[in-house]
Amino acid sequence: MLCGTLWRNARLATMVGAGIGVVEDGMVAAKDGRIVYAGPSPGAVFTAECTVDLGGRWITPGLIDCHTHLIHGGDRAAEFEQRLAGASYEEIARAGGGIVATMRATRAASEAELVESALPRLDALIAEGVTTVEVKSGYGLSTADEAKSLRAARALGMRRDVGVTTTFLGAHALPPEWAGDADGYIAHICDAMLPAIAAEGLADAVDAFCEGIGFSPEQVARLFAAAQRHGLPVKLHAEQLSNLHGARIAAQHGALSADHLEWLDAAGVAAMAASGTIATLLPGAFYVTRETKLPPVDALRAAGVPMAVATDCNPGTSPMTSILLAMNMAATCFRLTVDECLRGVTVNAACALGLQDRIGTLEPGKACDLAIWDIERPAELIYRIGFNPLHQRIRNGR
Ligand code: DI6
Ligand code: FE
């Protein structure tokens, strides 16, 4: 069979089956941007236009960061200093800082400025082998500013060779114009913002922040019903700072993922297991907020809830642009295994975006998105801190 590129003499972590699907003497063949073979050498007989001998390097699927807030104006370094001096994240938020401070900076920025300021963050992820990134809005909090943010997110995918999926997070915080009327703001999102954003095709999913400083489960349920009327899948920031039983609402709506989950209880785990909702763990936010409550990883594992791992890159609780560090923190802080960390940024992250048919594993028919690593064993990707062993990143076979 004639193929475009053949990578041979490689070790593969295919992510197929349980574990990470190791193939010790493997090869990957690509044609027209897709994988046509990934498995043991010699496998099928290929004639390739280009053959690359990887000298025993490891190939994983291109990494997927399935939860980021890459698009935002400004930064919150001053709040970081306030927190170092003793203020809590919730105190700062209630005093008009936090998400609303970033909202002001985001509203003040043009679409082009939002793109330019996000590119260095995106480039940091790309440099670590990320080939797909999810980007949320949620710092505009008006129709025009949310649409601007989502257009900026889509533009990132045109400025760089990376897959971008967009998530509308209008229900991230209550903007000042709606102070005291969260129900009114949710109705406005359902009746005006979401229809406008859906009509322009700007969002691939809808998310909300279910929290005392965010929105109640009842409000989230109204939003999710509206999202489903527009045919959009849903995700939820749930049980991050307290247990409002948001994961149950997410599960009831067949959410792709529920994210954070430090305060998730047994009933929430069971609901997620029943609905097939992915648990996206965000150890960067756990670390930055100095959370001590651990997500119920043992219970999630026992219930068979697939776990994803992401950076949550945002200016407040996770100013982190390293997916490798997110894996390290998931292992060290949350006790995920090496295999769980790797599945968390590949196959399970693909599921959290509803893209499991296109990316996330090394399998024929999937996009040929690869990360090629200068390592001897996969654990090195997770064990080192601040070290990047990426040899090469391949997207769509190139
Ligand atoms: N949870 C978070 O950790 C981020 N958003 C959310 O809903 C924080 C966003 C911020 O502080 O800017
Ligand atoms: Fe987030």
Side-chain angles (χ1 to χ4, degrees):
M1 178 179 185
L2 177 68
C3 68
T5 307
L6 179 66
W7 292 269
R8 50 174 294 278
N9 195 12
R11 287 177 277 183
L12 314 182
T14 62
M15 308 297 158
V16 177
I20 59 171
V22 170
V23 178
E24 279 294 338
D25 178 13
M27 56 186 240
V28 174
K31 192 175 183 208
D32 301 328
R34 285 173 190 275
I35 295 171
V36 289
Y37 179 82
S41 298
V45 179
F46 288 101
T47 319
E49 286 159 19
C50 169
T51 300
V52 184
D53 183 333
L54 286 179
R57 289 190 179 88
W58 279 85
I59 305 181
T60 67
L63 305 188
I64 301 166
D65 193 350
C66 68
H67 180 141
T68 85
H69 308 249
L70 278 185
I71 290 287
H72 57 262
D75 66 67
R76 303 239 292 280
E79 281 183 15
F80 173 67
E81 291 192 291
Q82 282 176 269
R83 288 209 308 275
L84 289 177
S88 77
Y89 177 72
E90 276 162 299
E91 275 162 19
I92 292 170
R94 291 191 193 279
I99 294 171
V100 171
T102 300
M103 176 209 77
R104 286 191 290 270
T106 302
R107 287 183 177 180
S110 68
E111 182 186 320
E113 287 166 342
L114 291 176
V115 173
E116 289 305 321
S117 70
L119 281 173
R121 297 188 278 270
L122 177 61
D123 286 339
L125 295 174
I126 286 173
E128 291 187 343
V130 168
T131 48
T132 300
V133 61
E134 183 254 20
V135 182
K136 300 177 195 294
S137 64
Y139 292 111
L141 307 182
S142 71
T143 304
D145 293 297
E146 287 292 292
K148 175 181 74 180
S149 299
L150 291 166
R151 277 186 221 111
R154 289 256 193 257
L156 291 177
M158 292 180 279
R159 293 286 295 274
R160 294 293 186 267
D161 190 11
V162 67
V164 172
T165 74
T166 58
T167 301
F168 170 56
L169 179 58
H172 194 194
L174 195 59
E177 323 62 283
W178 290 90
D181 188 11
D183 283 325
Y185 181 57
I186 290 291
H188 175 66
I189 294 178
C190 295
D191 300 342
M193 290 170 84
L194 182 56
I197 276 153
E200 223 186 298
L202 288 174
D204 301 314
V206 173
D207 193 349
F209 186 26
C210 186
E211 193 57 67
I213 56 169
F215 297 92
S216 71
E218 296 72 28
Q219 290 161 342
V220 169
R222 272 176 256 150
L223 171 70
F224 282 2
Q228 291 180 333
R229 285 196 291 278
H230 289 281
L232 290 170
V234 298
K235 312 165 76 67
L236 190 64
H237 286 70
E239 283 51 303
Q240 180 186 6
L241 308 170
S242 63
N243 183 8
L244 297 188
H245 308 289
R248 190 187 305 160
I249 302 297
Q252 280 167 4
H253 290 82
L256 292 172
S257 69
D259 303 35
H260 287 287
L261 303 174
E262 279 81 349
W263 293 83
L264 183 69
D265 62 15
V269 172
M272 289 178 65
S275 64
T277 298
I278 304 287
T280 300
L281 304 179
L282 304 168
F286 173 91
Y287 167 88
V288 168
T289 59
R290 293 202 182 85
E291 180 60 71
T292 52
K293 182 94 167 71
L294 286 162
V297 166
D298 290 340
L300 290 165
R301 193 183 280 136
V305 177
M307 292 178 278
V309 174
T311 63
D312 194 16
C313 178
N314 78 67
T317 61
S318 192
M320 176 161 81
T321 50
S322 171
I323 192 84
L324 295 175
L325 182 57
M327 283 196 278
N328 172 271
M329 288 178 169
T332 302
C333 301
F334 295 168
R335 295 186 180 274
L336 264 62
T337 65
V338 165
D339 288 8
E340 285 169 340
C341 289
L342 287 168
R343 291 180 69 82
V345 298
T346 54
V347 59
N348 292 348
C351 292
L353 299 177
L355 296 177
Q356 60 274 14
D357 294 338
R358 285 156 56 184
I359 54 174
T361 62
L362 304 181
E363 275 181 286
K366 295 267 177 98
C368 186
D369 290 357
L370 314 177
I372 303 172
W373 306 97
D374 261 320
I375 54 173
E376 280 301 320
R377 54 191 298 153
E380 285 176 59
L381 295 178
I382 293 144
Y383 136 85
R384 293 187 198 281
I385 300 170
F387 184 73
N388 179 6
L390 187 74
H391 171 70
Q392 205 179 8
R393 191 188 81 118
I394 304 293
R395 180 158 133 84
N396 290 329
R398 283 190 300 275

